Amino acid sequence: MNLAALAHRPESEDSFLYTDKTLHLRFHTAREDVAKVTVLYGDPYWRIPDAHGDDQLVYQRETMTLLGTGQVLDHWGVTLEAPYRRLQYLFEVTGQDGTVWLYGDRGLRQNSADARHEAENYFRMPYFQAIDRVKTPDWVKTTVWYQIFPERFANGDPNNDPDGTKPWHPTDHPGREDFYGGDLQGVLDHLDDLQALGINGLYFCPIFTATSNHKYDTIDYLNVDPAFGDKALLAKLIHAAHQRGMRVMLDAVFNHMGYGSLQWQDVLRNGEKSRFASWFHLHQTPVTPFHNPLKGEGQPQYDTFAFEEKMPKLNTANPEVQDYLLMVTTYWIKTFDIDAWRLDVANEVDHHFWKKFYQAVTAIKPDFYVLGEVWHRSQPWLNGDEFSGTMNYPFTQQIEDHFFKRRRTAAEMVALLTDQLMLYRDQTNQVMLNMLDSHDTPRILTLAHGDEDLALQALAFTLMQTGSPCLYYGTEMGMSGGADPDNRKPMDWTKLGQPIWKRVAALVDFRRQHATTLGTGMTRLSVTDTGLIKVVRQGREMLTGYFNTTEHPVVVNREAVFAQGFVDGQLAPKGFMVVAG
């Protein structure tokens, strides 16, 4: 047995309260090295006299389930309950070679009766306190999100179009500075279309006053950009969405401000004497024309998002900045009843600010959804006091690497996805935002080289996964587009109700029909002997999905409840099928 590979970390994603009464444990061993893992567990204060009259702890046994196999590790899991809301536990590991070892808090022990009764080597969950449980909003687990880039969704009111607005041509290849007149009225006009698609969550890119078309250079956090409408229109839109059972998530850009903001303009005028000088990260004053080291211009005089001179970075360690941003945060919740914030460039903002942010929003709405933009492993933000979840790019890009780019085999993808699921608690995985494309990435149809069957196969696979799925506007219309800004074309409303729309709507409907199981059920990923990717989801029901990413048809002797490319018992390449059980 590979003893060096045995791993467990208490009070983490390996040991956590899932409900107030249930403890989920995970244990990790070398791949295909261990035959069985058993948990020995009991109350830390429960003792009975042995034959010699000495007190001896009492333990029960529970066999762990193999949750899945990753790149180099097998992952095991079990759910335990404790009548007195406290627990101690020890792992008994049986290798494929027949050896048995005990793994505990103070290290490895050879298996023996004395070692099994060594109370000091048991891990402890001292007390099951509801306050210690990482909580995530239940409603997110049954939500299908739809990301709206407001400037390109629909032009509902030409009267607020910016100067130079271009005609609405979905086949255009937009430039970075182009405007097409999309606005909030356009969204309101199409709410029924989104409801018909099955959407029950609206995720808006920024809507606050800014000079750009994308609005990530905020000038005024307390007003709707005039090109999009006004506060009265936003309130009407949110109310109409709520009436249709749709939650609303707005985008907060708190890492940086826009160049035209009152605060930054004051710094440009007054330098270090500005009352807002400490709101930013200034290296020298007065601020001179921006230096970009990528262009050989020397070092910048102030910190920015990336090297964008028009986006000076905020000093969120400054109490004044914190107070201002928290005022903005709570204003839109209290006044407009929004349900969630998406946080731009969230990994570059101070942790202690996000802790204050989380306390502020959940004090108003305990089930408020806080979504951070983090493109890498996110454990530091997902311990229950900063974010509910993050944009799950590391997960969904593994899907793209296999389905679209063929950088990974099916087995490699399954292993990587399984490892990803082990990074976070179950309740956290269930509210991660799973999207195959967004305003920051090429569209999935472009990644699929225009192959609708392939694009929809990958989308169906994503909708079968743990996590809250999100469609980027226009996916249902079969829109294409490369990297930014080509992925931000005007919406193609001519495809509404067309075959591609119907196929996407059917996928969304399937996810919604089985929302509880797909939102909260167990997930097990594997590859069959015939090369099919197998996804087992078990909750209130059991659903098994098969995805053919090979180059030949595969016989499947099952009856499908939902399928693409399954005819006469054969699953075609780019096909998928879901069976009950």
Side-chain angles (χ1 to χ4, degrees):
M1 190 193 309
N2 184 350
L3 300 181
L6 305 183
H8 172 79
R9 193 161 64 95
E11 297 203 51
S12 71
E13 64 276 1
D14 287 344
S15 174
F16 57 92
L17 292 177
Y18 183 67
T19 70
D20 294 347
K21 297 180 180 179
T22 57
L23 175 70
H24 284 198
L25 297 181
R26 294 174 183 161
F27 191 74
H28 313 282
T29 65
R31 183 174 175 139
E32 300 177 353
D33 182 54
V34 165
K36 183 172 73 171
V37 181
T38 303
V39 179
L40 314 182
Y41 69 100
D43 190 283
Y45 299 103
W46 189 9
R47 303 284 195 279
I48 60 173
D50 62 14
H52 306 288
D54 298 323
D55 284 347
Q56 194 172 61
L57 66 84
V58 176
Y59 60 80
Q60 299 172 264
R61 290 176 170 271
E62 190 71 37
T63 301
M64 301 188 80
T65 299
L66 181 62
L67 300 175
T69 296
Q71 278 192 301
V72 298
L73 296 175
D74 283 341
H75 307 290
W76 306 78
V78 71
T79 299
L80 302 177
E81 295 187 7
Y84 303 108
R85 291 190 292 172
R86 60 195 179 215
L87 206 64
Q88 62 180 18
Y89 58 92
L90 179 72
F91 299 99
E92 181 184 85
V93 188
T94 303
Q96 296 284 3
D97 59 5
T99 59
V100 182
W101 285 84
L102 301 176
Y103 183 96
D105 186 58
R106 299 189 182 180
L108 286 163
R109 305 283 190 272
Q110 291 187 337
N111 186 38
S112 69
D114 287 344
R116 289 193 297 273
H117 287 89
E118 183 186 342
E120 295 79 11
N121 197 34
Y122 277 68
F123 294 103
R124 293 283 185 97
M125 176 60 77
Y127 195 68
F128 289 21
Q129 296 189 88
I131 194 172
D132 292 330
R133 178 169 66 88
V134 172
K135 300 177 182 65
T136 55
D138 286 336
W139 61 266
V140 178
K141 301 165 189 177
T142 57
T143 298
V144 176
W145 293 96
Y146 187 94
Q147 184 187 2
I148 295 173
F149 194 87
E151 219 281 320
R152 306 292 160 78
F153 184 72
N155 188 345
D157 183 4
N159 293 318
N160 58 23
D161 288 357
D163 292 339
T165 294
K166 300 180 69 175
W168 196 274
H169 292 316
T171 57
D172 275 3
H173 295 277
R176 293 194 178 278
E177 309 300 326
D178 290 343
F179 287 85
Y180 287 86
D183 51 33
L184 297 183
Q185 185 61 51
V187 180
L188 183 60
D189 292 343
H190 288 283
L191 276 187
D192 288 342
D193 296 324
L194 295 177
Q195 186 176 27
L197 184 62
I199 299 304
N200 59 343
L202 304 179
Y203 154 30
F204 288 88
C205 289
I207 63 170
F208 308 122
T209 307
T211 57
S212 66
N213 52 44
H214 52 72
K215 309 303 177 189
Y216 282 97
D217 53 339
T218 314
I219 291 176
D220 183 353
Y221 290 92
L222 293 174
N223 277 298
V224 174
D225 191 285
F228 289 166
D230 56 23
K231 291 181 180 179
L233 178 58
L234 176 65
K236 184 178 180 181
L237 173 56
I238 293 173
H239 179 69
H242 285 167
Q243 282 187 316
R244 290 166 173 79
M246 299 174 178
R247 305 279 184 151
V248 176
M249 176 162 62
L250 299 186
D251 203 334
V253 187
F254 290 167
N255 174 68
H256 51 270
M257 270 188 171
Y259 198 87
S261 63
L262 175 154
Q263 295 88 342
W264 183 245
Q265 288 297 310
D266 193 84
V267 169
L268 293 179
R269 287 192 301 271
N270 300 307
E272 61 185 10
K273 295 181 180 180
S274 169
R275 62 174 288 246
F276 298 111
S278 63
W279 281 43
F280 303 92
H281 297 272
L282 304 179
H283 305 313
Q284 66 182 56
T285 56
V287 175
T288 56
F290 188 76
H291 290 178
N292 189 334
L294 296 181
K295 299 178 180 178
E297 298 173 350
Q299 296 301 311
Q301 293 79 44
Y302 54 95
D303 289 348
T304 61
F305 164 66
F307 292 106
E308 295 289 342
E309 64 174 312
K310 295 183 179 180
M311 297 181 180
K313 182 176 176 63
L314 283 163
N315 176 15
T316 52
N318 182 334
E320 286 186 11
V321 175
Q322 292 180 358
D323 289 344
Y324 174 74
L325 295 180
L326 293 177
M327 179 272 293
V328 170
T329 296
T330 54
Y331 170 77
W332 294 99
I333 303 173
K334 292 177 179 178
T335 309
F336 293 87
D337 196 27
I338 65 171
D339 306 288
W341 279 113
R342 182 263 189 186
L343 308 173
D344 188 58
V345 202
N347 58 330
E348 297 184 20
V349 175
D350 306 88
H351 282 282
H352 62 271
F353 171 72
W354 288 137
K355 293 179 191 295
K356 291 183 177 181
F357 176 95
Y358 185 82
Q359 290 177 349
V361 300
T362 54
I364 302 169
K365 281 189 173 184
D367 65 346
F368 196 85
Y369 182 41
V370 180
L371 177 70
E373 183 196 16
V374 181
W375 288 60
H376 50 83
R377 292 190 180 191
S378 306
Q379 289 101 325
W381 293 273
L382 297 176
N383 291 308
D385 58 352
E386 293 188 51
F387 305 158
S388 312
T390 57
M391 300 184 76
N392 210 4
Y393 285 112
F395 186 86
T396 52
Q397 286 178 342
Q398 305 285 7
I399 298 172
E400 293 179 6
D401 278 350
H402 173 64
F403 281 85
F404 300 144
K405 301 175 183 177
R406 299 299 179 180
R407 292 177 179 171
R408 305 282 182 267
T409 66
E412 288 171 337
M413 181 196 69
V414 161
L416 289 163
L417 292 178
T418 299
D419 285 337
Q420 287 281 331
L421 288 172
M422 295 301 112
L423 296 178
Y424 312 116
R425 296 165 178 85
D426 290 332
Q427 58 264 45
T428 303
N429 280 325
Q430 292 161 4
V431 299
M432 298 291 278
L433 193 79
N434 293 344
M435 61 293 181
L436 287 176
D437 54 1
S438 72
H439 67 293
D440 285 325
T441 69
R443 287 185 174 273
I444 58 173
L445 190 59
T446 295
L447 293 173
H449 305 290
D451 190 327
E452 288 184 2
D453 288 343
L454 179 58
L456 294 182
Q457 184 195 42
L459 181 57
F461 183 81
T462 304
L463 291 171
M464 280 286 290
Q465 303 306 308
T466 300
S468 191
C470 180
L471 299 181
Y472 185 41
Y473 85 94
T475 294
E476 75 277 26
M477 309 300 188
M479 289 180 64
S480 62
D484 166 24
D486 198 48
N487 55 0
R488 304 174 182 181
K489 297 175 183 177
M491 178 71 148
D492 188 354
W493 287 106
T494 67
K495 299 289 182 62
L496 183 65
Q498 295 300 306
I500 182 66
W501 186 95
K502 292 177 180 178
R503 294 175 72 184
V504 173
L507 289 172
V508 174
D509 181 66
F510 182 81
R511 174 78 188 201
R512 293 285 305 277
Q513 289 288 335
H514 303 277
T516 300
T517 295
L518 296 177
T520 62
M522 175 276 293
T523 302
R524 176 72 189 274
L525 305 168
S526 61
V527 179
T528 69
D529 293 339
T530 55
L532 299 180
I533 303 168
K534 182 179 179 181
V535 183
V536 177
R537 301 301 313 276
Q538 187 165 7
R540 288 185 179 177
E541 58 187 330
M542 184 171 178
L543 298 171
T544 302
Y546 296 94
F547 296 81
N548 187 358
T549 58
T550 74
E551 296 181 356
H552 56 272
V554 176
V555 174
V556 183
N557 294 315
R558 302 291 299 273
E559 183 177 342
V561 296
F562 188 56
Q564 169 182 293
F566 182 58
V567 180
D568 297 330
Q570 288 196 325
L571 186 60
K574 305 171 197 170
F576 66 85
M577 59 183 295
V578 182
V579 304

